[in-house]
Amino acid sequence: GSPAMRLLGGTALDIEAITAENRDAVIERFRLHYLPKRTPVIYTGLLEVDDWPAREHWQDLAYFARRWGDVHAPLSRLADKFSHPPWTEDVKWPLSRFLDTLQEPVEEVDGKQIYYYLQQQSVSVFPGLVDDIRVPPFMPNEGQDQDDAASLQFNSVLIGCEGIITSIHYDQPLVHNLFAQVAGEKRFRMWAPEMGYHMNTFRDPDRVQWWHVSQIHHAKDPPPEVQLA
């Protein structure tokens, strides 16, 4: 489908193809225009231009099993492929076991099919994985005359089966997010930051880890103040 994304009110996001010739200019324009205004943007072609080894290696899940199959990876437990409390509980499995069960439900609980999702896991858990990516200089380095929040401070990897839905949420702590789709497809629904007050986030004092997650199931009950793409 089209890579276009829309914000609240139907505002289309900019989409720009990156080539070897315009790469540096595009990155500079991002720093001067998009980053200060906190405006989302879509870029295509960067992984090819920067020659990410992940483009070849990550198409085959056996690659992960060969290199990191014995690594115990923290996983999120999903009910019917939906990442939403209280079903989203973390477990630790060897990565090879997770990959073997990636496409099929592991069990059924209370009529719900249970899947698992490697979600926002630091690449440091998998030694050598960082060598497969080329982090582009969209964010300034530490020590430059920029707000610390604008620096890229954390690299994470996500692996999941087809059809997983993530709850409405914001990343915590509040950070900029550079998302690179290496294999498969992902669809985003985005809301302007000021809409956060309407998202009815969890406030259970015993579950502070969910405070950044909305109680709204956006696939079934979108908040009336929000128009979905």
Side-chain angles (χ1 to χ4, degrees), residues 2 29 83 96-97 122 125-126 151-152 174 202 206 219 225:
S2 169
R29 190 157 55 248
S83 173
S96 57
R97 179 185 177 190
S122 171
V125 171
F126 308 106
S151 299
L152 190 62
L174 291 174
F202 285 91
D206 296 324
E225 300 86 357

Side-chain angles (χ1 to χ4, degrees), residues 76-79 81-90 112 119 165-169 172 199-204 206-218:
S76 294
R77 178 174 178 259
L78 311 183
K81 296 188 177 181
F82 186 50
S83 173
H84 193 77
W87 284 97
T88 307
E89 301 289 352
D90 292 336
K112 297 182 181 294
Q119 182 172 216
I165 300 174
T166 303
S167 303
I168 298 173
H169 68 281
Q172 61 172 355
M199 292 305 177
N200 191 24
T201 55
F202 285 91
R203 280 295 179 262
D204 184 343
D206 296 324
R207 298 283 189 172
V208 295
Q209 71 270 29
W210 294 345
W211 283 15
H212 67 300
V213 178
S214 172
Q215 298 183 60
I216 299 168
H217 190 320
H218 57 82

Side-chain angles (χ1 to χ4, degrees), residues 36-50:
K37 297 180 180 180
R38 302 176 185 270
T39 302
V41 60
I42 301 170
Y43 294 117
T44 63
L46 180 64
L47 276 61
E48 290 81 4
V49 170
D50 283 2

Side-chain angles (χ1 to χ4, degrees), residues 113-131:
Q113 300 292 318
I114 304 301
Y115 292 79
Y116 288 89
Y117 181 31
L118 183 71
Q119 182 172 216
Q120 291 187 325
Q121 183 55 53
S122 171
V123 296
S124 63
V125 171
F126 308 106
L129 184 65
V130 71
D131 296 333

Side-chain angles (χ1 to χ4, degrees), residues 58-127:
W58 294 12
Q59 303 300 322
D60 182 8
L61 292 177
Y63 169 77
F64 291 89
R66 287 194 303 271
R67 296 198 61 181
W68 303 286
D70 293 334
V71 174
H72 280 67
L75 306 171
S76 294
R77 178 174 178 259
L78 311 183
D80 292 338
K81 296 188 177 181
F82 186 50
S83 173
H84 193 77
W87 284 97
T88 307
E89 301 289 352
D90 292 336
V91 300
K92 270 195 173 184
W93 281 3
L95 186 64
S96 57
R97 179 185 177 190
F98 163 64
L99 296 174
D100 286 342
T101 61
L102 185 60
Q103 300 300 336
E104 299 293 335
V106 176
E107 58 183 331
E108 183 172 315
V109 178
D110 296 336
K112 297 182 181 294
Q113 300 292 318
I114 304 301
Y115 292 79
Y116 288 89
Y117 181 31
L118 183 71
Q119 182 172 216
Q120 291 187 325
Q121 183 55 53
S122 171
V123 296
S124 63
V125 171
F126 308 106

Side-chain angles (χ1 to χ4, degrees), residues 52 58 118-124 126 129 133 135 152-159 171 177-180:
W52 283 33
W58 294 12
L118 183 71
Q119 182 172 216
Q120 291 187 325
Q121 183 55 53
S122 171
V123 296
S124 63
F126 308 106
L129 184 65
I133 66 177
V135 180
L152 190 62
Q153 300 174 352
F154 183 78
N155 294 328
S156 62
V157 61
L158 300 90
I159 303 176
D171 289 339
N177 191 321
L178 296 179
F179 184 90

